[in-house]
Amino acid sequence: EIVLTESPGTLSLSPGERATLSCRASQSVSSNLLAWYQQKPGQAPRLLIYGASRRATGIPDRFSGSGSGTDFTLTISSLEPEDFAVYYCQQSDSSSWTFGPGTRVEIK
Amino acid sequence: EVQLVESGGGLVQPGGSLRLSCAASGFTFTSYSMSWVRQAPGQGLEWVSLIDTTGGNTYYADSVKGRFTLSRDNSKNMVYLQMMSLRADDTAVYYCAKGGSSWFYFDSWGQGTLLTVSS
């Protein structure tokens, strides 16, 4: 089973700053099988990015995904107040779907 | 608009059984895989199970294999998660999630239903 590790665990930033979140896999992941989600307190997760770099419907272009192999990145170019949340990466492999432990983006 | 509405959560004693339901609307149900993902209190997301478009293939996390059974009724746009031999570590919010254009990711989620396993 592929294990995903996200870093940092918590990112403390101010609105307007750039956020860079990392997701590392224990084995190579096909790029089209890596997704990112946002979750706010008390809410269901929301799909942001799929196929490593494709924005989901309605997602602002300040969110971007990149990477390949074992290293993937979610970038938020300029944080808006509504972007402070927990972010999870997720991969699919051999009929198994796994999530990373999450990165919390908090207001500094 | 895609809508996924979960129901059936509640308080169950260890060793007990429960069935969760997910009512889907706003999309062509028969064209998409469906999944359950759970989140224990204060914890991250854990994929539980996935069913393909016809219901002919189901997949389970090792943590629930042999105890949980996922099914779908394409005539009613419903998904069901039958859970048996429940344990305290099954306590979580259970989300119903719709597969994307490929079944590798989840593009829509319900609001979740809480299962508490406790004596």
Side-chain angles (χ1 to χ4, degrees), chain A residues 2-7 21-26 29 33-39 45-50 52 66 70-74 86-92 97-103, chain B residues 37 44-47 104-106 109:
Chain A
I2 295 179
V3 176
L4 299 177
T5 303
E6 296 188 61
S7 61
L21 287 65
S22 174
C23 176
R24 179 162 290 178
S26 58
V29 174
L33 305 183
L34 196 287
W36 290 92
Y37 302 83
Q38 177 194 67
Q39 188 179 32
R46 176 175 71 147
L47 176 68
L48 297 176
I49 301 286
Y50 65 98
S66 63
T70 60
D71 291 293
F72 297 88
T73 300
L74 175 70
V86 180
Y87 293 83
Y88 296 94
C89 58
Q90 173 255 317
Q91 69 84 37
S92 174
W97 289 255
T98 56
F99 291 89
T103 289
Chain B
V37 176
L45 302 171
E46 180 189 15
W47 169 76
F104 302 120
Y105 59 94
F106 314 111
W109 299 63

Side-chain angles (χ1 to χ4, degrees), chain A residues 10-78:
Chain A
T10 301
L11 197 52
S12 299
L13 294 169
S14 300
E17 289 193 293
R18 182 183 188 91
T20 304
L21 287 65
S22 174
C23 176
R24 179 162 290 178
S26 58
Q27 303 172 45
S28 184
V29 174
S30 174
S31 292
N32 68 328
L33 305 183
L34 196 287
W36 290 92
Y37 302 83
Q38 177 194 67
Q39 188 179 32
K40 298 178 182 179
Q43 295 186 16
R46 176 175 71 147
L47 176 68
L48 297 176
I49 301 286
Y50 65 98
S53 61
R54 306 177 77 167
R55 269 189 301 276
T57 302
I59 301 304
D61 61 7
R62 65 180 181 272
F63 291 91
S64 63
S66 63
S68 64
T70 60
D71 291 293
F72 297 88
T73 300
L74 175 70
T75 301
I76 311 171
S77 59
S78 178

Side-chain angles (χ1 to χ4, degrees), chain B residues 30-44:
Chain B
T30 54
S31 295
Y32 296 94
S33 65
M34 297 295 295
S35 292
W36 289 90
V37 176
R38 68 185 181 183
Q39 187 169 36
Q43 303 301 308

